[in-house]
Every structure is written in structure tokens, then in C-alpha cells.
Amino acid sequence: MVSFSVNKRRVNLDVDPSTPLLWALRENLGLTGTKYGCGIAQCGACTVHLNGEAIRSCVAPVSRAAGKEVTTIEGLSSDLSHPLQRAWIAEDVPQCGYCQSGQLMSAALLLREKPQPTDEDIDEAMTGNICRCGTYPRIRKAIHRAAGMMAKGEAR
Amino acid sequence: MSGPQMERREFLKFSLAAGGGLLIGFSLPEADMLATAQAQSATVFMPNAFVRIGTDDRVTVIVNHSEMGQGVYTALPMLLAEELDADWNKVGFESAPVDPKYNHPVFGMQITGGSSSVWSAFEQFRKAGAAARAMLIAAAAQQWNANPATLRTDSGAVLDGTNRKLTYGQLAEAAAKMTPPTEVALKDPKTFKLIGKPVKRLDTSEKVNGKAVFGIDVKMPGMLAAVVARPPIFGATMKSFDDSRARSMPGVRKIVAVPSGVAVIADSFWQAKMARESLHIDWDDSAMHTFSTSQMMQQFREQAKSPGTRVRREGDPDTAFSQAAKKIEAVYEFPYLPHAMMEPLNCAVDLRADSCEIWTGTQFQTVDRANAAKIAGLPPEKVQIHTTYLGGGFGRRANPQSDFVVEAVHVAKAVGAPVKVVWTREDDMQGGWYRPAFLHAIAGGIDSSGNAVSWRSRLVGQSIFAGTMFESLMKGKEYDPASVEGVDDLPYAIPNLAVESHKADVKVPVQWWRSVGHSHTGFATECFIDELATLAQKDPYQFRRALLPKHPRHLAVLDLAAQKAGWGKPLSKGRGRGIAVHFAFESYNAQVAEVSVEDGKIRVHRIVSAVDCGHYVNPGIIAAQLEGGAIFGASAALFQELTFENGRLQQTNFHTFPMMRMNECPEIETHIVESNEKSGGIGEPGVPCTAPAIANAIFAATGKRIRKLPIRMTEAV
């Protein structure tokens, strides 16, 4: 039994503790917004927050989450109100959309640590997230837009 | 299974000849039980297969093309909503079930490919909207006892001269009783409110909160998970397997041989994957165990020394070449490439005695249904495909053998329960159906005034169509049109020209990959024309211009890209600019790349991409496709290849098959030529020019020519 909290909800999972957190979220908890892309921490599609840190859930055993707080894309906001979600919509960022949960979770951490990120900061924070459709230029714009919204106090 | 009814070019000739006024007789497929069953309770008016209007004013557009990022769930509803005069805020979408009424009007089957969604839907969806509008007007006219001709529509409502108003929701029930019109008037494009505007995508919200359902996310009661151990080498067959350890692992339900390998079925994906690692399988891999791509390329080089099948021949290229004042010969090499969609392949199947329900992200519904039906032992009508969002497609999910669907039906048959087969990234990358490796040997010459006088291209590579249901497209030709597209119609005015094709007999499964043949012909032709310009000591942009007198649309994009990129303006030291222009999928694209090379490391700083895709629907989506196309092309140019040694693929995942990342991504600027020409494609045309523009920029920066992809400065000449 592994106990932790997901998006502020307490969960107890009867699952092999070596199971990657990604598959526990997707298959045991039905939270399919977090995606599988590579299984070896190369693409970032599975990015979630563990006690506020961005981690690749495809290589993190679920036991690592024990007693901790996990935030997934479903917990970013309940109503699309997060500045990043609003900026993503305004810039029409997603194409196929598959990698975007991971992109958003990486960007959310960046903005928390650096509310006014430079292009270099964005490079550093986002380079672990692959997008095959090539939405990088729009992700960059959307992060700057979200930072602007937060600076103007438009954040939630 | 019949092939496409008409070749694309024949179709274009046909449709141009057919022309079109505003009043066009037509027949639209009616709604049927299936679609009606999917309808929500509020729905009462479904005038044809493409639109439903509810009493709640909601307009649902049923889209017969798959959404794989290219924006069809927005662009196609825009076409319909335009003629319907719908309130855009009330418009939604739904994926079409598999049914002949949703066939591609030209290809004769339900398919998303060939950058054809918008042009094939351009009139079909407009007419569907116009027909619905006519019935809503008729219903209002009846209620008001008015002449329909005196009524107008705006933003989801019918209005009369006194501004009496009935919304489409209020009219839905009455409209359902009206007779569908046999002909409809389409709007004058000058009055378009939606078409041509950068309307926001309809699918963004659910793609930023994790709610969008991709095939891999499908859940159903009692569903099991499966992975398949497939042969380590193409063509290998299984001799025997030992599952004694795997069978007793947690969650494992069944381990069974299927035609593609050994299926491990468990309660969850992770359990199935862990059990798969405990299998011992004895393969007979004698078919290809000595295969290597370096040897194959050596063979291609040899093949290219002899004349190939004639594709195109003008003038006397051999004599012109031998008499040229200056000449050059170059060999260009291209590797196998996987599509590497972010969402690995997967397919969920619920197979019952008299039905088969399939959930997957596919580009090929009609073919998949036919292939699945054969395995299920059911008539195709008993097989239904629910098309989910596709986490990228790029051609891979349009497989002539429906490999990932057929396999899942086999697994479902073996386990007797609903099951989802999921491919790991390694499975997906090593699973075949790649962009074929190619070699182009090109010889060309110029006269003493620097005019290009001869060009001969010889291509060697595997055919995509051969051995598939699409072989009919080769129609007696000795070559595969998908191998030579983009060089068979070389636009440059060179009087002596030959294009020849050699087939390569290699057993690696190959398939269409975003921009298909153009992905290599664009590079070879645009790099070689650059080499000829250098030979003639002319500016590569002006050299191209002079050779395009009869191609105004090529010229227009070339000029636009050059102008916006500041062609000819000084650059900082160490930087170079390269240019390329190419026609593909009925659209014209030119790109200028700005590049620097430091210590052998290439940095692409900026790409300017200009397109003429005819009459366009959504400039926002077009910009996104050009941005994405350039990044897709740059990834292939800079990083990507698949290589084989001793029959084994050397690349398995993103650490050995890199993608362009945020920190490597150039600034990308896109420009669209205003045009009233027939709509062309946009998903693929933005890919071919990127690699040659980068390679030509590297030459400008370093004086070194790139003749092999991916680019390695150590191999530059």
C-alpha cells in the first residue's frame, strides 16, 4: 500500500511500489492527462510536481511519492484559470496536444521560481520537454505572456 | 479494396476543367441511425451527415478527417459554419464514425493524408452548411408566413426585415421537417466572416487541462492491457518461446503467440511490460541478420552508376553534359526515418460474437475497418472505429496493412476480453514503416555564360506503393511516383533534363512520412541548384529566379521569403543565409535559413518561411503548420537517422534518436501569399525546404557542401 496525495486528494494505492508513478496515476487513478512518451526521462511528457518539484514520473517509482503531494495537469486548475492555460489558449499553442501536459507542468515550475523568465531561463527549464509538432516558438511566447499576466496581477 | 479513385493531378485537372459557379447541384449524404444514435438528447435537426443542430442552439460539426495536430477540428467546422452563418461560439465538433458517407471525396475512402483535408472539404463542408441554412430559413418562413427570399441569417439566427428573430435552436424542430434543398447558393468569398480569419482552435481547452482523450487514454470496463514482443530483426519468425517465469508474474492474464510476435496480456500496462521482459523467445532471424545500412548505401551508389527507369527526359542531357563548359556531379544520401509521434502506437479493441469496437488514433479508417473485419471474422459493417485524438500522425497511422489495428484484434481474439495494446517507445521506433532511405546521384552543367544547360537525377530507394493496395497508382509505370515526386516536376528551365529511378530491393518496411518523396527530392534538387549557382558564380536566389520564368507562384514565394529575410543584407561574421523553394501537395513554399557553425556545431538562428497555399481558411493554423514543418524538417536535417547493423536497428529511443528541443529552436517567421487559387495543402508543404535552406546556409557560412543527412560537418565537402 502506498499513500500520498494527488491534486490535494488523499489516495491509498495497492500497487507494486516499484511501479512508475506515471502508470499508477494513469492506470490506478485514471489520471490520463499525464502522458507516456519515452519511459526513460528523455521527453518530459510525463512531467508532474512532487512536493513542488518537477519530476519525470515515468522513472519515479510510486514509492517515492509516499507521504508526499503530487500535482498533475488535472490539478493545475479546475477551470482553465491558471495563467499558463490562459496564455496557451491565447497563443493557440497545442497542435496534437500530446506533450502539452508535460510542457505546462515544466512551465508552471519555471514561473514559480522565476516569475519574469528570460529566453535563456525558458531554454533551461523547457529543454527537457520534446514537442514533435514543433510548438516551441508558441510555448516561448505563451510563457512570456503568462508571466506578463501574473505581473499585472491577473493571476488567480 | 480498391485504390484511390483518381490520382491527385488528374483530379486537379478534372476539377479545374469542371470549374464552378455559385449555384451547384449536389447531393449530401443523409444522417443515418449510427450518427443519430451518437446524437445528444437536445438534438433534433440533422440535415446531413456533417452537421447537427440542437434546440440548445449548439451546432455540432461531424468531421471526417482525423485531428492529429493539423487543425481539422477547427478548419473544417469553419467551412461549414461560414455558410450556415452559425454563431461561432456555439460551434463544436465530433469525429465521424466509419461510414462510406464520410469517404474522402477524391480518394474514395475515409483517410487523413496527403495534406488534403481542407481542399477536399472546401466545397463539401460549405455546401453542408448552406443546405442546413436553407432549411432553417424555410422553417422560419413557414412560421412567419413569409417569403424565404426576404429573410436573412446572422450569427445563428434567421431574421426578417422587421428584425424579428428566431435562433437556430428555436427553429431546429421545424427545420427537421423541411425538405433538404437539391441545390444551394454559396457565398461570395468577399463576404466571408470566418474563412480567412485567424480563428482560435476549438480543441485547445481540452489540450491544456489533460481532458483530451488520445487512443492511449481509452478506458472501458474490464479492459486488460497488452504489450507484444515483436521480432528483433525485420522478417524474423518465432521458433519457440518460454513463458514459464513471465506467466507467474503479478497481474498476468495470458501469454499467447499472435502473428506479429508474443502477446503478454495483464491487468495493467506496467505488469504486461515487466512480464514481457521475462520471456525467452527463440527467433529465426536468418532473413536479414546480415543487413547493414552502410552496405546498402554502397549498393545504392553502385546502382546509381547505371541508367535507371526513365521518369522524365527532355532535350539531350548526355550530350549537353559532355559539352558543358563547367560541370559538377554530386551524390546525396538520406537515411531511414521513423515518424516518432509523441504518442506511441496503441489500439483498444472490444471484440464480441457479433461486433467489434475499436478505439484508436488512426488516419486510415476505411482500410483499418476492412483489415480488422477479416481478422474478427465479421462483415466490415459490424466493425466500428472510434477515432480518438492522434498524438501526432505524420503518416504512420495510415498503414496499408493496418499493422497496429490488426495486431490488436488478434490479441483481443486470443484473450476474449476488451484489451488495449500499447507500444513502448522502443516498440514504436523499432516497429518499421519508415521514410525510405534514398540516394540521389545528380550531374549538371552550365555553359560559358553561366546558364544551366543540363541536369540528370538518378534516384535509388525503396518503393512505398509496391506490394500495397496503392500499387494501382503506379499504373503500368516502372517507377513509384512517390519516390520521384518533387524532382519529376523540377520547375527550373533547363533545356536538357533527365530523371531516372532505380528500385531498391530491401525488406525494411517503408511508408509515407510527412512530405513523402519531397522529404528527399526537395533537399537534393534545392542543394544541387545551389551548387550550379556557385559553379556559375551567381547569387543562388537570382540564379533560381532566372530559371523560373514560367512559374510565377514559385517566384512569388521565393521573392517574399528573400525579401522578408533581408536577402543580400550583411550578416554578422560567421553567419550564412541559404534559400530553397519547392512545390508539394498543391502548395508553394520558400524558406531562408540563417545559420552559423562554430567548432563543428551548427546553430540555426532564424528561418523565414513563405507559402502560397491558394485560398486559405485559417491563417493562424497555417502559421502553426509552417512553424512545425520547419522544426520537423530541421530535426531531420540536423539530428535524425536510423541505421542498421547485423540486421538490428541501432536507435531505440530519444537518447539515440534526438529531436530538436527548445534551446535549439530557431526564430521562425511565416508569411502567406494572398491567393484566390484553389486551396492547397499545408501539413506537409512546409517541411521539404528547411533542410536544403539550412545546408545552403552552411555553405554560405563555411564554404562546405552538405550532401548527406543528417548533417555532420566532418562529412561536408
Side-chain angles (χ1 to χ4, degrees):
Chain A
M1 192 71 77
V2 185
S3 302
F4 53 104
S5 108
V6 181
N7 302 331
K8 307 211 153 62
R9 187 166 60 96
R10 236 187 127 65
V11 295
N12 301 298
L13 285 186
D14 183 14
V15 60
D16 180 337
S18 70
T19 304
L21 176 60
L22 168 67
W23 295 102
L25 290 170
R26 290 181 53 83
E27 296 194 301
N28 298 86
L29 294 167
L31 294 170
T32 51
T34 305
K35 300 304 189 203
Y36 165 71
C38 69
I40 57 168
Q42 287 288 309
C43 79
C46 66
T47 306
V48 299
H49 297 175
L50 182 65
N51 273 7
E53 290 299 312
I55 63 155
R56 305 297 187 229
S57 65
C58 72
V59 293
V62 65
S63 58
R64 211 180 126 191
K68 294 183 180 156
E69 281 186 26
V70 177
T71 307
T72 68
I73 184 71
E74 289 90 350
L76 196 58
S77 81
S78 57
D79 53 0
L80 298 169
S81 61
H82 192 285
L84 282 166
Q85 289 172 316
R86 286 157 57 202
W88 247 241
I89 290 168
E91 296 289 349
D92 254 349
V93 173
Q95 288 187 30
C96 90
Y98 193 78
C99 73
Q100 299 298 341
S101 300
Q103 304 279 1
L104 283 157
M105 296 313 282
S106 291
L109 196 75
L110 166 67
L111 286 192
R112 208 180 61 221
E113 290 180 345
K114 291 179 177 160
Q116 293 302 310
T118 62
D119 280 336
E120 290 68 36
D121 295 332
I122 292 174
D123 281 347
E124 199 179 317
M126 303 304 294
T127 282
N129 290 78
I130 294 176
C131 173
R132 181 61 159 156
C133 298
T135 62
Y136 303 126
R138 287 171 190 240
I139 289 174
R140 187 183 297 283
K141 271 194 226 163
I143 291 174
H144 284 306
R145 180 190 277 260
M149 283 160 45
M150 287 163 72
K152 279 190 256 160
E154 289 174 33
R156 284 179 296 156
Chain B
M1 200 67 237
S2 65
Q5 291 168 335
M6 239 188 279
E7 266 193 74
R8 175 80 172 120
R9 282 199 189 100
E10 285 172 16
F11 159 73
L12 282 172
K13 277 181 208 147
F14 168 79
S15 61
L16 286 172
L22 274 187
L23 257 182
I24 307 155
F26 72 105
S27 71
L28 282 165
E30 288 169 19
D32 70 358
M33 293 305 291
L34 189 66
T36 320
Q38 291 186 339
Q40 286 128 26
S41 53
T43 298
V44 290
F45 179 41
M46 188 158 184
N48 53 59
F50 297 102
V51 61
R52 250 188 358 240
I53 299 173
T55 47
D56 57 357
D57 284 325
R58 293 294 308 172
V59 173
T60 303
V61 179
I62 295 103
V63 182
N64 60 340
H65 290 268
S66 307
E67 179 57 73
M68 48 192 188
Q70 83 285 37
V72 287
Y73 281 3
T74 304
L76 270 50
M78 283 172 72
L79 290 166
L80 192 143
E82 177 70 61
E83 296 289 346
L84 178 60
D85 269 340
D87 174 356
W88 182 248
N89 294 317
K90 303 252 164 69
V91 175
F93 56 82
E94 197 173 276
S95 74
V98 195
D99 191 289
K101 65 166 63 88
Y102 294 112
N103 282 355
H104 189 295
V106 178
F107 298 160
M109 59 174 80
Q110 216 165 319
I111 174 179
T112 304
S115 297
S116 69
S117 298
V118 162
W119 65 250
S120 70
F122 205 85
E123 284 206 345
Q124 190 179 39
F125 275 64
R126 286 174 64 199
K127 285 176 185 169
R133 176 179 172 270
M135 292 166 78
L136 289 157
I137 288 178
Q142 199 173 61
Q143 287 201 28
W144 290 331
N145 199 15
N147 175 358
T150 64
L151 305 181
R152 63 191 175 90
T153 52
D154 186 32
S155 201
V158 182
L159 299 99
D160 73 358
T162 66
N163 272 340
R164 267 194 299 184
K165 178 178 167 181
L166 285 166
T167 70
Y168 288 172
Q170 290 167 329
L171 287 166
E173 275 179 75
K177 297 184 187 109
M178 299 293 127
T179 313
T182 50
E183 47 181 40
V184 287
L186 293 180
K187 284 185 180 177
D188 178 344
K190 287 191 203 83
T191 67
F192 284 162
K193 291 174 190 159
L194 284 169
I195 296 175
K197 305 291 186 303
V199 174
K200 294 283 174 215
R201 291 177 65 124
L202 291 175
D203 56 347
T204 305
S205 294
E206 56 181 329
K207 288 178 173 177
V208 299
N209 64 7
K211 292 209 164 59
V213 175
F214 297 84
I216 203 167
D217 303 327
V218 166
K219 289 169 248 186
M220 56 184 125
M223 186 180 79
L224 301 174
V227 296
V228 177
R230 300 180 189 83
I233 291 182
F234 292 119
T237 52
M238 192 185 60
K239 288 200 277 193
S240 64
F241 70 95
D242 172 7
D243 63 355
S244 48
R245 198 164 151 243
R247 232 174 15 219
S248 60
M249 289 179 66
V252 173
R253 296 293 188 99
K254 192 162 189 171
I255 296 175
V256 61
V258 289
S260 56
V262 180
V264 180
I265 302 128
D267 291 333
S268 73
F269 164 82
W270 190 252
Q271 290 168 329
K273 182 180 177 291
M274 294 311 285
R276 184 175 72 170
E277 283 167 22
S278 298
L279 284 176
H280 293 284
I281 305 176
D282 195 10
W283 301 98
D284 174 1
D285 61 7
S286 53
M288 276 185 79
H289 72 288
T290 58
F291 174 68
S292 89
T293 31
S294 54
Q295 268 174 23
M296 180 191 75
M297 275 299 175
Q298 186 53 42
Q299 229 167 17
F300 282 13
R301 261 176 245 126
E302 288 302 315
Q303 254 178 297
K305 286 177 185 162
S306 59
T309 304
R310 181 182 294 196
V311 174
R312 180 177 170 188
R313 196 170 179 92
E314 280 151 33
D316 183 353
D318 299 327
T319 309
F321 182 69
S322 64
Q323 293 173 355
K326 283 188 193 170
K327 51 190 97 173
I328 186 165
E329 293 185 70
V331 173
Y332 299 93
E333 294 180 31
F334 306 87
Y336 288 108
L337 290 172
H339 304 75
M341 315 78 72
M342 289 309 296
E343 180 196 15
L345 292 168
N346 58 76
C347 180
V349 178
D350 185 5
L351 179 63
R352 306 282 170 96
D354 61 348
S355 70
C356 180
E357 302 276 315
I358 297 170
W359 286 261
T360 193
T362 178
Q363 300 175 238
F364 234 16
Q365 288 85 351
T366 306
V367 172
D368 289 349
R369 166 147 99 169
N371 284 329
K374 278 183 229 155
I375 310 305
L378 293 168
E381 310 81 68
K382 297 279 183 190
V383 177
Q384 190 47 269
I385 299 180
H386 307 269
T387 304
T388 61
Y389 277 118
L390 283 64
F394 314 120
R396 178 63 181 91
R397 298 184 208 266
N399 183 268
Q401 297 184 5
S402 308
D403 66 330
F404 61 100
V405 176
V406 160
E407 178 185 74
V409 178
H410 276 297
V411 174
K413 213 169 160 179
V415 73
V419 64
K420 178 167 65 186
V421 178
V422 174
W423 298 46
T424 64
R425 171 59 56 197
E426 290 81 3
D427 296 343
D428 188 283
M429 194 164 287
Q430 304 200 296
W433 306 104
Y434 309 126
R435 193 286 298 274
F438 255 86
L439 182 140
H440 291 226
I442 314 185
I446 56 170
D447 64 16
S448 51
S449 327
N451 301 307
V453 289
S454 82
W455 177 303
R456 187 193 68 208
S457 273
R458 274 185 193 151
L459 283 70
V460 190
Q462 282 172 260
S463 166
I464 292 171
F465 290 157
T468 73
M469 72 184 82
F470 298 94
E471 202 155 359
S472 63
L473 280 179
M474 294 165 71
K475 262 191 274 177
K477 288 173 191 157
E478 301 285 309
Y479 62 89
D480 182 341
S483 296
V484 299
E485 58 182 10
V487 57
D488 61 351
D489 60 350
L490 189 77
Y492 298 117
I494 299 173
N496 304 288
L497 183 71
V499 179
E500 299 169 8
S501 168
H502 284 280
K503 251 184 277 179
D505 184 25
V506 186
K507 303 292 182 214
V508 174
V510 295
Q511 196 173 318
W512 24 74
W513 179 94
R514 193 176 187 179
S515 79
V516 199
H518 300 283
S519 68
H520 50 91
T521 61
F523 185 85
T525 57
E526 282 304 294
C527 285
F528 194 74
I529 199 75
D530 226 73
E531 298 213 25
L532 285 181
T534 305
L535 200 63
Q537 294 175 299
K538 292 186 179 170
D539 173 82
Y541 161 48
Q542 295 300 338
F543 187 72
R544 283 175 176 79
R545 288 202 92 252
L547 291 171
L548 291 167
K550 290 184 180 152
H551 295 277
R553 295 178 77 185
H554 281 82
L555 273 178
V557 289
L558 191 65
D559 287 345
L560 184 58
Q563 179 222 326
K564 297 289 183 183
W567 188 266
K569 287 190 183 149
L571 279 170
S572 54
K573 199 174 162 342
R575 284 200 188 188
R577 273 193 205 100
I579 195 163
V581 61
H582 196 73
F583 169 72
F585 304 96
E586 315 309 329
S587 290
Y588 303 78
N589 179 231
Q591 296 184 32
V592 174
E594 205 175 299
V595 167
S596 64
V597 183
E598 227 173 286
D599 302 327
K601 207 170 151 29
I602 303 150
R603 172 91 212 181
V604 184
H605 299 274
R606 183 181 177 216
I607 291 175
V608 176
S609 182
V611 76
D612 170 359
C613 55
H615 198 161
Y616 59 81
V617 176
N618 187 324
I621 292 174
I622 288 164
Q625 287 306 297
L626 293 179
E627 291 159 13
I631 292 169
F632 200 91
S635 272
L638 298 173
F639 311 119
Q640 300 177 337
E641 66 178 332
L642 294 181
T643 53
F644 291 84
E645 271 175 45
N646 300 319
R648 281 177 193 264
L649 188 66
Q650 305 299 295
Q651 293 74 23
T652 54
N653 203 321
F654 296 132
H655 61 305
T656 43
F657 185 84
M659 299 274 180
M660 176 166 268
R661 291 171 182 270
M662 177 67 91
N663 63 328
E664 297 152 333
C665 185
E667 187 190 318
I668 303 174
E669 217 181 284
T670 63
H671 302 277
I672 309 174
V673 174
E674 294 298 328
S675 168
N676 289 319
E677 300 282 344
K678 193 176 160 45
S679 289
I682 198 61
E684 296 168 278
V687 175
C689 283
T690 311
I694 290 172
N696 294 335
I698 289 173
F699 175 77
T702 66
K704 294 204 186 293
R705 283 290 177 192
I706 305 300
R707 292 179 180 167
K708 188 178 174 187
L709 295 184
I711 298 168
R712 286 195 187 88
M713 289 314 295
T714 50
E715 292 172 339
V717 294

